[in-house]
Amino acid sequence: MTDLHALETELLAAVTNASDEPALEAVRVAALGRNGSISTLLKTLGTMSPEARKEQGAVINGLKDRVTAAIAERKEALKQSALDQRLNTETLDVSLAVPEPPTEVGRIHPISQVVDELTAIFADMGFAVAEGPDIESDDYNFTKLNFPEGHPAREMQDTFFFQPKPDGSQLLLRTHTSPVQIRTMLAHKPPIRVIIPGRTYRSDSDQTHTPMFHQVEGLVIDTSSHLGHLKWILQEFCKAFFEVDQVNMRFRPSFFPFTEPSLEVDIQCRRDKGEVRFGEGDDWMEILGCGMVHPNVLRNCGLDPDEYQGFAWGLGIDRIAMLKYGMPDLRPFFEADVRWLSHYGFRPLDFPTLAGGLSG
Ligand code: DAH
């Protein structure tokens, strides 16, 4: 009997002295766990005579109940004091400014904005969007576009080539979005009416050139589309994109292997203290190349040039973004400086639409 008193005193003291929940748990396991002191005592009941079991059973179970209750009480007290301690140490300065949500702080890059703007304009004219890979074959980037092997026109574009493959062929980073014309014509029968925005690469870097830049290609193939249609489309595009009522455009003869005839297009503008205004002034700024798709290109894509014809154009997205939004240098476009982006970027939920305004 004395044993049990001593054990109870010892266990209750251990409960009281447990300074945190893990310590208390250790005391519980030592008393009530499978091999705990009280559990071991309970196991002895089975070996006793019925009378002794009745008497001892009541005593040991009483001990068990009191220790269990003491542990529960101590656990509650420890929880409470841990909470009090947190409440006393954690403070919240309610005078601090509320942090802005990501939709307020985040900005859409001007290139993404301009791609959305021009997609909205051309979608309204019935164009679909086509895309192709940045890594291209020499065949799609040059040969099928009617660049003859070894022709100097291939050197017009400072191409990034990959290491030659064992069979001698060489992949490259596409130098223009024009290979997607080939992909589109090989995959779809005319009528074709697509725009092709995307990244392009050339080994070039200065204030208006970066090794990676963006173009949007246009391609229309059917049985009757001609340069008159192309001229109207480009004129409507420029008015909608630059958000002006009037643009004067100048079409100059040019050369591209994949078009015949080929033209370059300038728009009239006034350059004033670094600012550019459209539809007035007596400067001209080149913005794109275009032309009627060369019969060889049609043939290379399995189309009969006696049946099908059409036009294409290629426009520098970065350049028209700089012009529209007054950004003097192209290089910061790709430096990922959040200060530049928060200055020139666009609010994420202001989607450009023709009805609602392109640039908000
Ligand atoms: N691919 C040409 C370039 O990057 C641009 C171009 C010119 C595209 C005329 C065309 C085109 O589709 O018809 O310089």
Side-chain angles (χ1 to χ4, degrees):
M1 290 307 287
T2 10
D3 270 352
L4 288 187
H5 274 303
L7 179 62
E8 179 162 353
T9 315
E10 186 195 317
L11 287 176
L12 292 178
V15 168
T16 314
N17 291 336
S19 58
D20 55 20
E21 290 192 52
L24 183 61
E25 177 61 9
V27 174
R28 189 192 67 76
V29 170
L32 302 167
R34 218 153 59 84
N35 299 315
S37 47
I38 295 180
S39 310
T40 309
L41 283 173
L42 283 168
K43 279 181 211 155
T44 62
L45 291 176
T47 62
M48 294 179 189
S49 67
E51 300 78 44
R53 186 184 309 142
K54 198 171 173 198
E55 191 199 325
Q56 283 297 301
V59 175
I60 299 172
N61 276 309
L63 167 64
K64 181 185 171 189
D65 290 348
R66 287 188 297 282
V67 171
T68 304
I71 289 174
E73 197 183 321
R74 181 72 186 140
K75 189 167 181 166
E76 199 45 48
L78 284 173
K79 255 197 193 136
Q80 192 59 45
S81 76
L83 181 63
D84 285 347
Q85 200 187 352
R86 262 187 70 190
L87 291 175
N88 286 335
T89 51
E90 285 180 13
T91 56
L92 183 67
D93 185 349
V94 291
S95 67
L96 283 176
V98 179
E100 283 184 294
T103 45
E104 286 301 315
V105 192
R107 286 292 177 269
I108 299 294
H109 194 284
I111 294 297
S112 306
Q113 167 78 16
V114 166
V115 169
D116 287 348
E117 291 181 16
L118 52 89
T119 304
I121 297 169
F122 285 115
D124 191 58
M125 294 187 201
F127 282 77
V129 174
E131 286 180 309
D134 292 13
I135 296 174
E136 258 305 355
S137 64
D138 191 276
D139 187 37
Y140 285 8
N141 195 81
F142 292 126
T143 310
K144 284 206 166 38
L145 284 165
N146 198 37
F147 285 78
E149 293 288 348
H151 191 279
R154 288 187 186 230
E155 267 96 77
M156 275 163 52
Q157 308 181 340
D158 296 304
T159 312
F160 289 114
F161 286 99
F162 287 80
Q163 295 293 346
K165 291 202 264 189
D167 66 2
S169 68
Q170 220 171 350
L171 291 174
L172 47 82
L173 288 174
R174 66 180 180 192
T175 56
H176 48 182
T177 41
S178 306
V180 190
Q181 287 190 26
I182 302 295
R183 290 177 175 275
T184 306
M185 285 187 273
L186 287 174
H188 303 283
K189 272 187 71 69
I192 291 170
R193 203 183 292 161
V194 291
I195 57 161
I196 303 153
R199 294 194 180 99
T200 46
Y201 305 82
R202 289 181 205 179
S203 177
D204 207 353
S205 183
D206 61 30
Q207 195 173 340
T208 53
H209 296 87
T210 48
M212 187 280 296
F213 59 105
H214 299 81
Q215 290 189 335
V216 60
E217 194 87 8
L219 177 68
V220 172
I221 303 286
D222 52 28
T223 54
S224 58
S225 283
H226 55 70
L227 284 182
H229 299 130
L230 170 65
K231 196 173 164 192
W232 180 85
I233 287 173
L234 295 176
Q235 225 145 18
E236 289 305 304
F237 167 72
C238 284
K239 283 197 288 187
F241 179 75
F242 290 110
E243 299 175 75
V244 292
D245 295 330
Q246 171 73 22
V247 280
N248 289 326
M249 307 178 82
R250 187 168 74 173
F251 288 73
R252 282 183 290 106
S254 183
F255 171 78
F256 300 103
F258 35 90
T259 42
E260 182 57 38
S262 302
L263 308 144
E264 272 174 324
V265 179
D266 305 329
I267 45 176
Q268 194 176 32
C269 61
R270 180 204 302 286
R271 280 179 239 224
D272 218 1
K273 299 185 205 84
E275 225 186 89
V276 186
R277 301 192 147 275
F278 295 97
E280 52 181 273
D282 25 57
D283 282 325
W284 294 95
M285 181 171 291
E286 184 200 319
I287 57 160
L288 62 91
C290 60
M292 293 301 291
V293 176
H294 197 291
N296 287 348
V297 174
L298 293 172
R299 252 181 238 119
N300 290 340
C301 299
L303 298 176
D304 177 0
D306 290 330
E307 187 180 357
Y308 294 111
Q309 64 181 47
F311 50 80
W313 72 86
L315 171 102
I317 293 181
D318 316 77
R319 168 166 276 199
I320 60 168
M322 288 169 77
L323 289 177
K324 180 167 179 181
Y325 293 112
M327 295 172 282
D329 193 330
L330 183 57
R331 288 163 296 192
F333 273 61
F334 310 118
E335 281 169 3
D337 183 338
V338 286
R339 291 163 305 177
W340 183 88
L341 193 57
S342 64
H343 182 75
Y344 285 114
F346 293 81
R347 303 175 73 80
L349 296 177
D350 293 347
F351 298 111
T353 63
L354 288 178
L358 284 180
S359 52

